Amino acid sequence: SAAGYLLAGAVPRPVSLGLVFLNPVYFLLLTVVGVQKPALVIAMVTGIVLGPSLHLVSPDWGLMMTGLIAGSMGFFGGRLWERRRGHGGTHGGTHGGTHG
């Protein structure tokens, strides 16, 4: 936020560096909690494999390409995984057909 940007110079350097890592650690903890979902596991593994390679190909766009590819593979791979396991997807309700 703008307040964080302005206050970054006013706090001691160790505090500023700690705050920089707060968001990635929070995201990592959320990911660990959700690791039971196949879509997240597929996206994480794909991202870990593709990330460094795509960064070498394009440092400016590597992260975005990794997120798009890994997220898409996780989404569609997770749906396929759920269908094959007989859960019918994550939506609940009916799939296709008419409602009456």
Side-chain angles (χ1 to χ4, degrees), residues 40-82:
L40 185 57
V41 173
I42 294 168
M44 290 285 295
V45 170
T46 304
I48 289 169
V49 171
L50 284 180
S53 301
L54 290 178
H55 177 72
L56 291 174
V57 170
S58 175
D60 293 334
W61 292 95
L63 181 61
M64 186 164 306
M65 290 188 303
T66 299
L68 181 64
I69 294 168
S72 297
M73 288 182 71
F75 177 77
F76 292 113
R79 287 178 58 128
L80 182 62
W81 177 277
E82 293 292 329

Side-chain angles (χ1 to χ4, degrees), residues 12-25:
R13 185 162 172 81
V15 172
S16 180
L17 290 174
L19 291 173
V20 166
F21 288 103
L22 188 62
N23 191 29
V25 168

Side-chain angles (χ1 to χ4, degrees), residues 77-99:
R79 287 178 58 128
L80 182 62
W81 177 277
E82 293 292 329
R83 273 200 195 119
R84 288 191 175 180
R85 296 221 35 197
H87 293 109
T90 58
H91 305 329
T94 60
H95 295 284
T98 59
H99 300 277

